[in-house]
Amino acid sequence: MRRLAKFGRQIISALIGIPLLIIGIILIPLPGPGVLVSFLALLILSWGFDWAHQYVEKCKDFFRNLYKEAKERADRFEEKHK
């Protein structure tokens, strides 16, 4: 029964996630939320596939580091211009 549930979860996540990922990749060079749509597609795919979960974790780490660096730069800029 667990195999059937896992297979069903994989089918549903693939049917929703793959077209969304394709749309997100197409949108990346265009103005709009391409990166956000691609990340959302990976989140959906991660419900059914381990490889997608690994990419989600890498993306989370990247965005955390990006946020941390931007915050540090903003703090340095603020201190410099007081």
Side-chain angles (χ1 to χ4, degrees):
M1 190 66 167
R2 282 188 170 176
R3 277 181 129 174
L4 186 60
K6 183 178 180 181
F7 184 68
R9 193 170 55 238
Q10 286 178 334
I11 293 293
I12 291 170
S13 66
L15 287 174
I16 297 169
I18 291 173
L20 197 58
L21 184 61
I22 292 169
I23 291 169
I25 290 170
I26 291 170
L27 288 176
I28 287 175
L30 302 173
V35 173
L36 184 62
V37 171
S38 298
F39 183 69
L40 179 64
L42 281 176
L43 276 174
I44 292 169
L45 286 168
S46 73
W47 293 332
F49 300 98
D50 291 334
W51 61 266
H53 182 72
Q54 292 172 352
Y55 281 115
V56 167
E57 292 303 317
K58 286 180 184 179
C59 289
K60 282 179 171 177
D61 291 340
F62 173 77
F63 287 123
R64 281 186 193 119
N65 290 336
L66 187 66
Y67 174 77
K68 181 180 172 185
E69 184 178 329
K71 185 158 176 36
E72 288 172 358
R73 285 185 181 192
D75 291 344
R76 284 195 309 261
F77 180 81
E78 187 178 292
E79 288 294 321
K80 187 177 180 181
H81 290 90
K82 276 190 174 182

